Amino acid sequence: MKNILVPVGSSKNAVSHLQYAVDFAKTFGARLYVVQVFNVYTKAGTMIKVDHILERESLEFLKSHVSKVDTKGVEVIVKTFKGKLIDTLELVCKTADIDLILLEPRTNSIREEVYLGKTSGKIIKQTNIPALIVPEGYKFKPMVSILIALKSAVIKRENVLNPLIGIKNQFKSIVNLLLVKTPFHNEGDFDVNQELATLITNTLYSENATTFQGVLENYKEAHPDLLCVVRRKRGFFTKLWENNIILKKDFHSSTLPVLVLSGLK
């Protein structure tokens, strides 16, 4: 991983999250892009041009955040962008060749019961960029044990496992695979290809209504430092992603990072 993106919101956890991002980036020798996306909604007849004002304030806000962390020699690039959140982030990721987005669970929500707020939930739900969701206040530590949960191990897209491979290689991690048999199971879903097989230390099996339920049943016993799931149109967070906001009561993994890979197919 060479380029990591950190979208910054207005949460009270923003500085702590940025420090985690710096520590994570330093481990990989990666460049860190710290960005904020703003949009402008003007009333009819308004004569004041506010774009440059918002851009200046946004940039000062980001620089203030960066000044509060120990950058540890990591190259930190601060940028502000005007536009719609998802479209802008996807363009930035493509232009800067971003390998991973590091997300706060709640970029601006103040509700304690929320796991993923509206903004972070929208980024996870509507983009296809690999993302690492880092719990609030979480301190960086090596990811020695990883649990990857799949209902289908069929891989058709190239390089989709790269973030997982990078993390495993960096930390010499043990990777346990949880294969969940759901009512939509198809023959061949549990056929693990060579690329994935070389990463796996142990394979666990579960039969549940959803991958999500399979994880809830197994992840505490596995004691992972990282949970890895796959973004699908109707996948791991299906029950939760009907709404961009995800509640802690619906997803109990708010104490460890979650790596969300792009779709495998």
Side-chain angles (χ1 to χ4, degrees), residues 223-241:
H223 297 295
D225 300 306
L226 175 69
L227 173 63
C228 179
V229 297
V230 174
R231 180 190 284 107
R232 299 181 189 274
K233 288 183 178 178
R234 307 299 296 175
F236 177 77
F237 287 110
T238 298
K239 180 171 80 74
L240 308 179
W241 282 356

Side-chain angles (χ1 to χ4, degrees), residues 22-23 40 53 71 82 97 103 108 110-111 128 137 140 158 161 173 175 184-186 190 192 204 233 244 252:
V22 167
D23 295 344
V40 180
I53 299 174
T71 57
K82 175 190 172 185
D97 195 21
L103 282 178
N108 50 22
I110 59 173
R111 294 168 55 191
N128 202 32
F140 176 78
E158 292 185 0
L161 294 176
S173 312
V175 181
F184 304 99
H185 181 80
N186 296 312
F190 287 178
V192 179
L204 312 171
K233 288 183 178 178
N244 285 328
H252 307 283

Side-chain angles (χ1 to χ4, degrees), residues 13-261:
N13 181 61
V15 174
S16 171
H17 179 71
L18 187 54
Q19 186 63 65
Y20 181 98
V22 167
D23 295 344
F24 185 89
K26 183 173 178 59
T27 301
F28 289 89
R31 181 185 296 110
L32 202 61
Y33 287 86
V34 179
V35 306
Q36 189 168 65
V37 179
F38 66 91
N39 211 334
V40 180
Y41 300 94
T42 57
K43 295 181 180 179
T46 301
M47 298 298 292
I48 302 174
K49 190 170 180 63
V50 296
D51 286 24
H52 67 285
I53 299 174
L54 289 176
E55 183 178 5
R56 184 182 69 244
E57 291 180 349
S58 180
L59 195 59
E60 289 175 355
F61 176 77
L62 291 181
K63 287 179 177 178
S64 172
H65 269 62
V66 172
S67 71
K68 296 173 184 175
V69 305
D70 180 1
T71 57
K72 301 181 177 181
V74 172
E75 183 181 357
V76 179
I77 299 172
V78 177
K79 294 282 186 182
T80 61
F81 300 93
K82 175 190 172 185
K84 294 182 178 179
L85 178 67
I86 301 303
D87 293 344
T88 304
L89 285 181
E90 287 185 330
L91 181 60
V92 171
C93 287
K94 184 177 180 179
T95 304
D97 195 21
I98 297 297
D99 299 299
L100 187 70
I101 296 182
L102 256 64
L103 282 178
E104 291 184 72
R106 306 181 297 172
T107 54
N108 50 22
S109 176
I110 59 173
R111 294 168 55 191
E112 287 300 320
E113 70 272 21
V114 167
Y115 170 63
L116 281 189
K118 187 174 181 180
T119 302
S120 49
K122 185 183 292 185
I123 293 170
I124 289 292
K125 180 180 176 181
Q126 297 182 20
T127 72
N128 202 32
I129 306 159
L132 181 65
I133 306 167
V134 182
E136 294 172 53
Y138 194 81
K139 304 294 184 183
F140 176 78
K141 67 177 183 177
M143 298 169 178
V144 178
S145 176
I146 300 172
L147 177 66
I148 176 170
L150 303 171
K151 71 175 182 180
S152 173
V154 177
I155 300 175
K156 295 182 179 179
R157 296 181 60 205
E158 292 185 0
N159 303 321
V160 70
L161 294 176
N162 280 0
L164 177 62
I165 293 170
I167 290 172
K168 173 183 167 57
N169 290 343
Q170 183 63 41
F171 300 114
K172 306 295 187 289
S173 312
I174 293 172
V175 181
N176 295 315
L177 172 63
L178 173 63
L179 292 172
V180 183
K181 185 176 182 180
T182 71
F184 304 99
H185 181 80
N186 296 312
E187 186 177 350
D189 276 350
F190 287 178
D191 293 343
V192 179
N193 78 349
Q194 186 61 33
E195 183 183 26
L196 180 58
T198 58
L199 303 177
I200 304 305
T201 303
N202 300 300
T203 302
L204 312 171
Y205 296 90
S206 173
E207 188 165 347
N208 269 283
T210 64
T211 313
F212 171 74
Q213 291 176 359
V215 167
L216 291 185
E217 188 179 83
N218 287 273
Y219 88 91
K220 287 185 179 179
E221 185 177 337
H223 297 295
D225 300 306
L226 175 69
L227 173 63
C228 179
V229 297
V230 174
R231 180 190 284 107
R232 299 181 189 274
K233 288 183 178 178
R234 307 299 296 175
F236 177 77
F237 287 110
T238 298
K239 180 171 80 74
L240 308 179
W241 282 356
E242 301 303 332
N243 189 305
N244 285 328
I245 293 175
I246 298 175
L247 301 179
K248 287 180 180 176
K249 70 181 179 64
D250 290 326
F251 183 56
H252 307 283
S253 178
S254 55
T255 57
L256 78 160
V258 178
L259 177 64
V260 185
L261 299 177

